[in-house]
Structures are given as C-alpha cells and as structure tokens.
Amino acid sequence: MSLAAATKYFFEQAAQGLDLEPGVKQMLETPQRELLVQVPLVKEDGTLEVYSGFRVQHNDARGPFKGGFRFHPSVDLDEVRGLAALMTWKCAAVNIPYGGGKGGVAVDPFTLNKRELKQLTRTFVSKIFPIIGQKVDVPAPDVNTNAEVMGWFVDKANELARDDVRGIVTGKPIGIGGSLGRTEATGRGVALTTLRLLKWLGKDPTKMTVAVQGFGNNGSWTAYYLHQAGCRIVAVSDVSGGFGNEEGLDIPAMMEYCKTSDKHLLAGYPDADPISNAELLEGKVDILIPAALENQITKENAARIQAPIVIEAANAPTTPEGDAILNERGITLVPDILANAGGVTVSYFEWVQNLQSFYWDEDTVNTHLTNIMHKAFDDIWNLAKERDLTLRTAAYTIAIERVVEAMKMKGLFV
Ligand code: GLU
C-alpha cells in the first residue's frame, strides 16, 4: 500500500466512528493543493542535473499549512501527499494552530557537496515561493535537512520577499531566528511520550531496554533523553549499520563520534557489536523505537517483533497490515502523530517568537513543550481507554474532530 493510501486508511479507521458526511470525508482525504516543480542544478563538474520537487498542502482549516521538507531519493508525490496529511492530524492531535503540509526533493543529498546542496535549496525555495508564506505555509526540517539548510532557505525567501520574513520557515539556526531547544525537540518529545506511557503503565524507566532504529536528529536525541532517564539503550542503527551492546550503549559518546565521523554516521564506532536491521527490529527489548523512514514494520516482520511497546518516532514506520498484526498481538503502539509531534510543537514556538520578535529561554521552551505533550498524551490515552480504541485511532479521532470543527466554524460546509 502506498504511503498516501496508508494515511488514508488510518484516517478512515477513525472516521468510521465519527459519522462524517461523505463530502467532508472527501475534503479531508484530498489535499487542498499539490505543487510539482522542476529543480535544475548545474553541478560543479559542469553537468546539469534536473530533480523533481514537491510541496503538498493538505488542509489549513486550523491555521497555516505546516510541515517539513526532505531530500531523499524515494521522495515522490504519493509520499509527500501522505506525509502532508499526517501533518494535519499531528498538529490537530497536539492542538497547535496549524494545518498540514509537506515538501521534498527527489535527490540523494550525499551525492552533492555543500555548495551544490545550498544551490539546490535556493532553487527549490524560488520554485515553491509562490505558495508559501509566514501566515500561509511554513516549511521546516525533515529527513536529511537541518538548521543549516533552513538558514539557506530563509535567506533566499527574504531576498524574494524583499523583506525579513523569517517566520516563513522554522528549524533555523539560533542566530537568525531559530528557537532554543528546536534541534532536540523531536527526540525530546518522543522521550516525553515514552516516559508518560511508562508512568501510566506503572513501569520503571530504569528497568527498560530500548532499541532505536535511526540515529539522525530524531533517533539520536530520542536515545539521548531516554538514556538520561535511565533506560538501557541496547541497540541503535543508521544507514551505515546496526550497533548493539547488551550492557547499554554510551549514547552521548556515540553522538560525539558522529560529529567528527565521515558523513556524520556511526560507521566504525568501536564500543558496540554489529547487528542487522532485522536483529534491531526483532530483538528482545522492552521498547522498540523506529526513528528512521516509513514502512519498517510490515506484514512481513510484524509477527516477529518481540517488543511489547512500539513508539513511532519516524513518520509512518508501520504499514496498516503491520499495524493490524501488532494490535492483534496486544502490542502497545504510540502513533507517529503523537509521538513525534515535539518537533513541530517547538517549530510553533519558534514561529511565535519570530512574529513577536521576542525570544524565550530554553527552560520556557521545554516547559511549554512538556505541557503540550503531556496534555495531548493524556487526552488520547483517556479517550482510548474510554472507548476501547487503539492509541492511533484515539489520536486520529481527536485530530479529525478538531479539524472538522474548524471547517464548520469557517462555514466550509453547512
Ligand atoms: N518534519 C517534522 C515532522 O514531521 C517537523 C515539521 C515542522 O516542524 O514543521 O513533524
């Protein structure tokens, strides 16, 4: 099943219980706007490469479209469409005043040097500029894009706008309008969610073993905060391979290692045993955290997952078939639209700071983040208990209700 179809499937599962009019359902299943652009790049060896770029705006009933953009060879319209819808549900699930959007360029950024990547980013900005804006559609980092890329982004946007429009993108470097705590926010939010779940399950974090698939910005900070809370992180991986240690990995040391290693990957990290991706996903741990790409837990491997708890730090790591198998087996799963919402939540704080030109200290950012994540988790947890729903269906239910309410208040249907 394609990613857009999978997102629609999860939406429909919750919509069944909501008695939505067919027309309203159709509006929510279809993006409001989709833009495909050509992104040409003259590389430094003189060759011309032409990449495909995308920005999909799913729904803006609750506020400006919001969502990151990624640089990855697998990016296509279907993927971006699915991820844009996920952003609508995510922002509504944690009750921040945004709709959902997503973007990307189908490129392997590891084949480009920094100057080429900067040029590619600037061209992408100029191509999508007609449909984005501080109060319209606000991009941010996602897979293979980071604060540095957002710095290039805002510079080009300011140039095109002939104005300081720093609120047009979030996840920027601190010196040019970024927020303290934004880099760590997605992982911090995943850890907050995990610890909240353990609290309600009456489990002691210091007795938990954890495997994290992915050691990019999201996975590494997730591992860091759970390690700090006393969990034993026994396996992590990135595109260079898997790394295990039954005694517990030294996560801060691994993060330091990545800062200086080739392509910032874990390859060659000494204090761990090599493990395969399947060993990481199917290993005997208390908590499994997929924090890389989509489609990792599928009908092929879901029956072999041994962890009784799965926290979706990545977007869409579980396919609908995989999800059904995990549910049948009684595995507790915290869905992406709740678990990884910390990133977009601090993007929201960054945007508020940009619009007010008043900057918060890190404690303020983290206190607000904790409050929002705890409230969202507890509302979803309580609804799931009350109506005997999975946490995913409960999260979608709350999100859909909020979006439909906003559409109703705007008179988008009567
Ligand atoms: N890319 C992140 C996500 O999928 C963050 C989006 C944002 O900050 O707008 O939630």
Side-chain angles (χ1 to χ4, degrees):
M1 196 185 294
S2 76
L3 190 73
T7 310
K8 201 187 270 189
Y9 178 89
F10 290 136
F11 161 79
E12 272 165 5
Q13 246 184 354
Q16 273 169 14
L18 285 176
D19 195 27
L20 298 180
E21 278 176 48
V24 174
K25 227 175 123 221
Q26 200 181 345
M27 283 176 82
L28 294 172
E29 284 170 350
T30 330
Q32 287 179 212
R33 185 191 273 146
E34 301 183 337
L35 177 67
L36 268 76
V37 294
Q38 197 182 55
V39 190
L41 173 73
V42 179
K43 292 181 67 176
E44 293 197 349
D45 63 5
T47 55
L48 171 66
E49 294 281 351
V50 186
Y51 304 104
S52 299
F54 307 87
R55 186 75 189 168
V56 173
Q57 299 177 331
H58 176 258
N59 185 287
D60 68 348
R62 288 173 38 83
F65 301 103
K66 186 84 190 80
F69 64 101
R70 55 175 65 179
F71 292 156
H72 196 275
S74 78
V75 168
D76 61 17
L77 185 57
D78 183 274
E79 181 184 89
V80 179
R81 199 182 270 159
L83 293 167
L86 271 187
M87 288 308 302
T88 300
W89 310 130
K90 187 185 302 184
C91 293
V94 295
N95 209 8
I96 57 174
Y98 286 133
K102 199 83 177 194
V105 178
V107 61
D108 179 356
F110 293 105
T111 62
L112 304 180
N113 68 29
K114 202 177 259 194
R115 278 187 300 271
E116 292 166 334
L117 207 55
K118 179 166 78 176
Q119 189 49 48
L120 179 87
T121 305
R122 293 178 68 89
T123 306
F124 179 59
V125 177
S126 59
K127 298 296 174 120
I128 65 167
F129 193 73
I131 66 158
I132 62 170
Q134 294 194 95
K135 305 274 184 69
V136 182
D137 181 354
V138 183
D142 197 72
V143 173
N144 295 333
T145 53
N146 58 14
E148 186 174 33
V149 175
M150 301 308 123
W152 303 331
F153 191 112
V154 78
D155 184 56
K156 184 67 192 179
N158 285 343
E159 184 187 309
L160 292 167
R162 296 195 300 116
D163 195 2
D164 182 337
V165 289
R166 61 183 64 194
I168 200 169
V169 67
T170 58
K172 298 177 292 290
I174 307 293
I176 53 170
S179 175
L180 293 168
R182 174 62 185 89
T183 302
E184 304 85 345
T186 311
R188 183 184 274 273
V190 176
L192 282 168
T193 312
T194 309
L195 296 171
R196 195 69 170 178
L197 175 71
L198 294 178
K199 182 177 161 130
W200 295 145
L201 292 175
K203 291 184 189 291
D204 178 355
T206 65
K207 300 213 163 62
M208 295 288 115
T209 56
V210 181
V212 182
Q213 183 203 35
F215 207 67
N217 181 53
N218 183 349
S220 63
W221 285 110
T222 295
Y224 177 89
Y225 290 116
L226 289 177
H227 176 261
Q228 203 177 52
C231 298
R232 186 148 51 96
I233 319 294
V234 293
V236 303
S237 68
D238 66 14
V239 289
S240 72
F243 302 80
N245 188 336
E246 275 310 306
E247 304 298 309
L249 292 158
D250 184 347
I251 299 298
M254 295 179 99
M255 290 171 81
E256 277 306 308
Y257 180 86
C258 286
K259 281 189 189 156
T260 53
S261 67
D262 186 33
K263 295 180 178 161
H264 300 302
L265 295 174
L266 284 167
Y269 178 74
D271 298 322
D273 305 316
I275 56 166
S276 69
N277 188 45
E279 283 169 328
L280 183 138
L281 292 174
E282 298 164 19
K284 205 168 163 32
V285 288
D286 298 307
I287 305 172
L288 171 64
I289 307 188
L293 288 172
E294 49 263 21
N295 298 336
Q296 299 303 306
I297 302 176
T298 65
K299 63 174 184 295
E300 313 301 333
N301 64 1
R304 293 194 298 271
I305 304 285
Q306 295 191 67
I309 295 173
V310 174
I311 311 281
E312 292 188 326
N315 286 316
T318 314
T319 65
E321 296 93 341
D323 190 66
I325 296 169
L326 297 185
N327 288 338
E328 254 164 50
R329 297 182 52 219
I331 291 174
T332 302
L333 180 143
V334 181
D336 45 10
I337 61 170
L338 170 60
N340 72 29
V344 72
T345 299
V346 177
S347 276
Y348 164 50
F349 302 156
E350 177 176 334
W351 181 78
V352 168
Q353 293 170 75
N354 292 156
L355 297 184
Q356 299 186 337
S357 282
F358 180 74
Y359 287 85
W360 309 354
D361 62 30
E362 198 163 351
D363 274 353
T364 306
V365 170
N366 291 336
T367 304
H368 283 295
L369 174 63
T370 305
N371 291 342
I372 287 187
M373 294 304 292
H374 281 173
K375 165 107 179 72
F377 188 92
D378 293 355
D379 288 348
I380 291 165
W381 176 261
N382 290 334
L383 184 74
K385 294 281 151 249
E386 214 175 279
R387 298 200 200 158
D388 193 22
L389 303 172
T390 63
L391 290 173
R392 191 187 311 278
T393 300
Y396 271 82
T397 300
I398 287 179
I400 296 167
E401 277 176 343
R402 286 187 178 137
V403 174
V404 171
E405 198 52 33
M407 288 164 70
K408 218 181 259 173
M409 289 188 283
K410 286 179 154 178
L412 297 180
F413 62 92
V414 277

